[in-house]
Amino acid sequence: DAGVTQSPTHLIKTRGQQVTLRCSPKSGHDTVSWYQQALGQGPQFIFQYYEEEERQRGNFPDRFSGHQFPNYSSELNVNALLLGDSALYLCASSQGLRETQYFGPGTRLLVL
Amino acid sequence: RKEVEQDPGPFNVPEGATVAFNCTYSNSASQSFFWYRQDCRKEPKLLMSVYSSGNEDGRFTAQLNRASQYISLLIRDSKLSDSATYLCVVKGGSGNTGKLIFGQGTTLQVKP
């Protein structure tokens, strides 16, 4: 039973570029949430997807957008990258909006 | 004021010691409470849920005080393998479906 998977594991971009991160949820899970974790901080909620719709959003600018596909996988897109976007991006899946969330290994993004 | 506040530590303790972590949360409507563990450069993993009645899992005991909006984690007989960052997490509240709100994390280093 595969857990949550994310790709790529690491990514280096320059300021102003765009990036797409991908997440496949744990088998049987239909809800995907995305978090940003800066160095030395706890994860911060970006948004949550269920039934291919964004259900809740944290305090992140519109440069951060997402999508959920019919197979429940999800993408996180960040436009016009800033140096401050450098972080570990974590995807978590759950069986429903309110159930226990299980995290993937994350994607480390470095913006130069 | 942060929604979930923790002392970042680090807590340096010898093997066999008992150590306690605390956190406070600001939203009195919060409904669910957790401790997650995060090893260096890894994803957070659920350690245990926290209930008002208190709950125990082996050497770990968690407690919730709703009146004081205070959550605690007690680790008895510390092992080297307990060295990690412990994240206090809150979920729920008005208009909040599945968003997890993390504290900054408390770093524990258990020494031989």
Side-chain angles (χ1 to χ4, degrees):
Chain A
D1 178 24
V4 181
T5 59
Q6 292 185 242
S7 64
T9 56
H10 297 80
L11 204 51
I12 300 175
K13 292 285 188 178
T14 56
R15 279 179 299 174
Q17 285 189 310
Q18 179 265 343
V19 68
T20 297
L21 310 182
R22 296 176 176 83
C23 171
S24 291
K26 188 176 167 65
S27 178
H29 287 187
D30 57 9
T31 303
V32 172
S33 304
W34 287 92
Y35 295 82
Q36 179 197 65
Q37 186 174 23
L39 197 63
Q41 302 297 316
Q44 298 290 310
F45 176 78
I46 303 175
F47 41 51
Q48 183 178 61
Y49 278 85
Y50 173 71
E51 292 186 336
E52 302 179 51
E53 289 189 14
E54 183 182 293
R55 298 294 176 163
Q56 193 169 7
R57 187 178 182 93
N59 188 24
F60 279 79
D62 291 345
R63 299 187 296 110
F64 289 77
S65 63
H67 189 77
Q68 185 179 34
F69 300 94
N71 67 352
Y72 308 120
S73 67
S74 177
E75 287 182 350
L76 164 64
N77 301 290
V78 187
N79 295 321
L81 285 166
L82 303 174
L83 296 179
D85 294 332
S86 296
L88 176 67
Y89 288 85
L90 294 160
C91 167
S93 74
S94 57
Q95 194 170 10
L97 289 166
R98 294 181 177 83
E99 299 307 314
T100 301
Q101 296 183 21
Y102 295 87
F103 284 83
T107 294
R108 291 197 178 275
L109 173 64
L110 177 61
V111 182
L112 301 176
Chain B
R1 182 187 173 190
K2 292 182 180 178
E3 293 183 83
V4 179
E5 297 210 49
Q6 292 181 253
D7 178 352
F11 285 61
N12 294 302
V13 302
E15 271 187 292
T18 295
V19 61
F21 305 139
N22 307 311
C23 90
T24 57
Y25 61 96
S26 61
N27 186 350
S28 60
S30 299
Q31 297 170 355
S32 304
F33 309 88
F34 311 92
W35 284 100
Y36 275 73
R37 170 192 169 130
Q38 186 171 28
D39 292 292
C40 188
R41 303 184 71 81
K42 300 284 190 180
E43 73 273 23
K45 293 186 177 178
L46 179 64
L47 179 65
M48 59 198 303
S49 300
V50 189
Y51 306 108
S52 296
S53 54
N55 48 303
E56 188 173 309
D57 183 1
R59 298 181 293 108
F60 298 82
T61 301
Q63 190 75 50
L64 166 67
N65 184 321
R66 284 189 181 270
S68 302
Q69 294 178 209
Y70 174 96
I71 305 163
S72 65
L73 176 69
L74 183 75
I75 306 176
R76 291 181 299 278
D77 188 22
S78 298
K79 311 292 185 191
L80 295 176
S81 58
D82 294 334
S83 298
T85 296
Y86 291 83
L87 296 159
C88 178
V89 184
V90 169
K91 185 170 77 169
S94 56
N96 181 347
T97 53
K99 168 185 173 182
L100 296 180
I101 304 169
F102 287 80
Q104 179 181 358
T106 298
T107 299
L108 172 65
Q109 185 69 42
V110 181
K111 298 186 181 298

